[in-house]
């Protein structure tokens, strides 16, 4: 039988999976909130080892979500300053133009900032903008897979084998 705490934890985990597709929403933190709600207030179906495993995966999702695009841009040769400013521009544009604003904003910010550098050609700035944007999108896929694995683990190990279902 599923209790109210398990329903809340499950709702937070499902919300985390959905939020992984929305830039700027901390899907990893939502997943961790669901896991900790179950652990702290649930009926005891979650072991400490399982909590630790979920926490590691959730923290990895947070790190990938925060730094995925910047790492891709930096790996391609963009400056750290460019990567940080592009992330900030993407976050601001999320509130102005939604998810499309993040994608366009990330590309435009990296392109413009890299173009201002003396040693960058238009082609290099364009490539860096594409790499940063692709990295951000790829990190979104990685975050989705990470939080989905927490959801599946919760369903299987806590609700199914923990006799919640």
């Amino acid at each position: 039988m599923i209790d109210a705490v398990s329903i809340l934890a499950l709702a937070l985990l499902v919300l985390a999976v959905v939020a992984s597709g929305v830039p700027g929403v901390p899907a990893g933190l939502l997943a961790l909130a669901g896991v900790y709600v179950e652990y702290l207030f649930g009926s005891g179906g979650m072991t400490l080892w399982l909590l630790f495993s979920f926490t590691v995966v959730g923290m990895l999702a947070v790190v990938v979500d925060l730094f995925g695009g910047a790492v891709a841009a930096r790996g391609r040769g963009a400056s750290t300053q460019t990567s940080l400013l592009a992330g900030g521009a993407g976050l601001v544009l999320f509130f102005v133009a939604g998810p499309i604003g993040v994608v366009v904003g990330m590309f435009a910010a990296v392109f413009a900032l890299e173009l201002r550098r003396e040693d960058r050609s238009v082609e290099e700035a364009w490539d860096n903008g594409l790499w940063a944007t692709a990295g951000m999108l790829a990190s979104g896929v990685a975050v989705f897979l990470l939080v989905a694995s927490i959801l599946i683990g919760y369903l299987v190990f806590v609700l199914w084998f923990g006799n919640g279902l």
Side-chain angles (χ1 to χ4, degrees):
M1 185 70 171
I2 296 180
D3 58 358
V5 172
S6 296
I7 290 171
L8 176 60
L10 187 59
L12 285 167
L13 289 167
V14 169
L15 184 62
V17 171
V18 172
S20 68
V22 180
V25 179
L29 292 178
L30 284 171
L32 286 173
V35 167
Y36 277 86
V37 161
E38 177 67 40
Y39 184 77
L40 296 172
F41 305 110
S43 58
M46 185 182 303
T47 64
L48 190 58
W49 178 247
L50 194 54
L51 176 68
F52 175 76
S53 301
F54 287 150
T55 301
V56 169
V57 174
M59 291 306 295
L60 182 60
V62 169
V63 169
V64 168
D65 198 13
L66 289 175
F67 300 110
V71 168
R74 185 78 183 109
R76 179 67 175 104
S79 70
T80 302
Q81 180 183 12
T82 295
S83 300
L84 293 174
L85 289 173
L91 182 62
V92 168
L93 286 171
F94 171 73
F95 296 106
V96 175
I100 298 297
V102 175
V103 174
V104 171
M106 173 70 81
F107 173 79
V110 171
F111 178 73
L113 291 168
E114 285 294 296
L115 199 55
R116 287 187 50 200
R117 288 178 57 179
E118 295 174 8
D119 61 336
R120 292 286 185 231
S121 67
V122 172
E123 292 81 18
E124 289 173 319
W126 182 267
D127 285 346
N128 286 347
L130 289 177
W131 274 92
T133 306
M136 182 189 64
L137 294 173
S139 71
V141 171
V143 169
F144 169 79
L145 293 173
L146 289 166
V147 296
S149 72
I150 295 173
L151 172 61
I152 292 168
Y154 177 78
L155 289 171
V156 171
F157 295 111
V158 176
L159 292 185
W160 186 265
F161 288 123
N163 297 322
L165 290 179

